[in-house]
Amino acid sequence: MTDDVTKDSNGAVLADGDSVTLIKDLKVRGSGGVTLKRGTLVKNIRLTGDTDEIEANVEKVRGLVLRTEFVKKV
């Protein structure tokens, strides 16, 4: 069995278009000091080739890459 499945912090399988919430406050580097708060809803995620990362658009930040260890599926 291959381990090419992207999972959130709780082990739930993620797919393109899913919604997730942040489980930790995250400072976004290179965005002028924007901090994403815990509980922020991230809609319509996109999977990358890396099983540890997802791509999303959040508030003022476009093309943001998030580590899957900091999100949980809604």
Side-chain angles (χ1 to χ4, degrees):
M1 181 173 170
T2 59
D3 290 332
D4 292 345
V5 177
T6 302
K7 296 182 179 180
D8 69 359
S9 60
N10 294 331
V13 177
L14 296 173
D16 282 332
D18 282 349
S19 294
V20 296
T21 57
L22 300 179
I23 61 170
K24 179 181 178 182
D25 289 354
L26 299 174
K27 293 182 182 177
V28 181
R29 287 189 250 161
S31 66
V34 172
T35 300
L36 300 176
K37 299 293 183 186
R38 189 180 101 217
T40 300
L41 179 65
V42 180
K43 296 179 181 179
N44 199 19
I45 65 167
R46 291 175 303 282
L47 301 181
T48 62
D50 188 348
T51 58
D52 293 329
E53 296 177 344
I54 57 171
E55 188 176 339
N57 294 329
V58 182
E59 298 170 2
K60 302 172 185 127
V61 184
R62 299 290 175 224
L64 179 67
V65 176
L66 293 170
R67 301 273 307 166
T68 56
E69 63 194 88
F70 300 124
V71 298
K72 71 176 179 178
K73 190 172 182 177
V74 177

